Amino acid sequence: MSSDRVTHLLTLAANIGVIISIGFLVLEMQQTSAIATAEVRLEYSAGWRTVDEARQDESFSELIIKSIEIPEELSLEEFIRLDAYYTGIIDQMLTAQTFRAAGLVDGPFVDVAENIGAIYFSNQFARSWWGQVRSDWSAAGDADFLKIVDEAILAGEPGRARRAYESIKAEVAPRVKSPKF
């Protein structure tokens, strides 16, 4: 066998080895990306569980009701508890936007913001709170973040919690049957 032929075979073998290595590298990158995406989703879900766990405490549920029904009677301590709660919600929104911008979570941030605005910011206290603290978030997010959050909060149905409560209450209440004569 000539030295040229050996050189060509070795070059061919090396090139095949490089192609196989690149294939393994691509597979490894896909696995790493899938693992990172799963971790991001778990972290995001854990953040929402933390926010929602706060509402499960009986005294906090009463505080939410008070903020909806008679917000003018909130004490400073109650305001501080609500401030931490709503700060957690906005922080989760910022996380959602960051994950989406990085391509780690699918779907537009606007959809997330609209859902959160409708659920958590449908009362006057929450909307007023955002109006007061909005500027605190200007450094954390870009102008698009603030614009999207503003629009989502304003688009939410005022009084949604009360309306939903009344509708569900009416739906599940036992039907009064008219007496038969």
Side-chain angles (χ1 to χ4, degrees):
M1 207 186 280
S2 73
S3 68
D4 284 344
R5 183 157 172 88
V6 171
T7 303
H8 287 308
L9 288 174
L10 289 175
T11 303
L12 177 63
N15 288 338
I16 290 172
V18 168
I19 291 170
I20 291 171
S21 296
I22 290 172
F24 281 122
L25 182 61
V26 167
L27 288 174
E28 188 174 320
M29 287 174 54
Q30 287 175 340
Q31 288 177 335
T32 302
S33 176
I35 291 168
T37 300
E39 287 175 353
V40 163
R41 289 180 186 194
L42 286 172
E43 180 183 324
Y44 184 66
S45 294
W48 276 114
R49 281 192 302 278
T50 300
V51 167
D52 287 335
E53 283 173 3
R55 295 189 312 176
Q56 302 307 316
D57 176 69
E58 184 178 338
S59 67
F60 194 76
S61 295
E62 291 170 0
L63 179 57
I64 291 286
I65 292 168
K66 187 175 181 180
S67 75
I68 292 169
E69 299 288 328
I70 47 175
E72 65 278 3
E73 293 185 17
L74 290 169
S75 69
L76 179 58
E77 176 189 346
E78 291 169 326
F79 170 81
I80 290 170
R81 290 178 68 199
L82 287 166
D83 181 58
Y85 172 70
Y86 286 113
T87 296
I89 293 169
I90 297 297
D91 187 53
Q92 279 297 105
M93 290 176 81
L94 185 59
T95 300
Q97 183 210 31
T98 302
F99 289 167
R100 279 163 174 74
L104 298 172
V105 180
D106 295 331
F109 172 64
V110 171
D111 293 346
V112 174
E114 287 174 355
N115 288 333
I116 294 169
I119 294 168
Y120 295 97
F121 291 91
S122 65
N123 66 75
Q124 190 55 46
F125 175 84
R127 289 171 178 231
S128 295
W129 174 85
W130 175 245
Q132 292 298 314
V133 303
R134 180 188 185 281
S135 63
D136 297 346
W137 292 88
S138 60
D142 57 22
D144 285 341
F145 174 78
L146 294 175
K147 181 179 182 270
I148 291 169
V149 172
D150 287 341
E151 290 172 1
I153 289 173
L154 291 175
E157 173 192 353
R160 176 190 168 277
R162 168 61 70 188
R163 183 204 45 80
Y165 166 74
E166 295 294 339
S167 295
I168 292 169
K169 187 175 164 184
E171 187 177 308
V172 299
R175 305 284 185 233
V176 177
K177 294 183 180 184
S178 56
K180 294 182 181 183
F181 292 99

